[in-house]
Amino acid sequence: ETDSVTDPFRQVTLFKRNFDHVVREVYMENYRDVTRANPNYFLTYGNGKSAARVQPGLRPNGAHRFHNYAKHPKETKAPEAAVLHYTYTTFDDILSRKNRCDCPK
């Protein structure tokens, strides 16, 4: 993408697949070029996103999981499902995120 993106939901077309949905043999063949010496597959987050069917007893369990008081949740991975995660579309977006906290500089 480019720094000229003003509406990511209409303009962004480049997404990275979750590691569970890539052909590992092909990825590993190109590992050195793909990672550019950074071993992290995703650079801004490393876990997936979750969804749940609303039902009695269901509650969030952190930012990426669900828990149900009435029964043990069944976790399923759907190969045909995709969650498009718009992390950052421009360098300015990254800087604005960095400046939102009182983190040590």
Side-chain angles (χ1 to χ4, degrees), residues 4-15:
S4 64
V5 171
T6 57
D7 185 349
F9 298 107
R10 293 179 190 264
Q11 294 173 282
V12 172
T13 59
L14 181 63
F15 295 92

Side-chain angles (χ1 to χ4, degrees), residues 32-105:
R32 190 179 310 246
D33 292 331
V34 170
T35 62
R36 295 185 182 146
N38 185 332
N40 298 313
Y41 182 72
F42 287 110
L43 301 181
T44 56
Y45 71 96
N47 47 10
K49 301 299 174 203
S50 60
R53 181 175 291 140
V54 176
Q55 54 188 270
L58 185 71
R59 68 169 178 82
N61 183 14
H64 304 284
R65 298 262 186 274
F66 290 92
H67 178 75
N68 191 315
Y69 290 112
K71 62 183 180 179
H72 185 72
K74 179 182 175 187
E75 189 170 313
T76 305
K77 291 182 181 178
E80 68 281 359
V83 175
L84 301 180
H85 188 248
Y86 295 81
T87 315
Y88 303 105
T89 53
T90 67
F91 188 69
D92 285 341
D93 290 341
I94 297 170
L95 290 179
S96 72
R97 168 94 179 175
K98 179 182 111 18
N99 294 330
R100 276 188 248 163
C101 70
D102 292 328
C103 306
K105 306 276 190 241

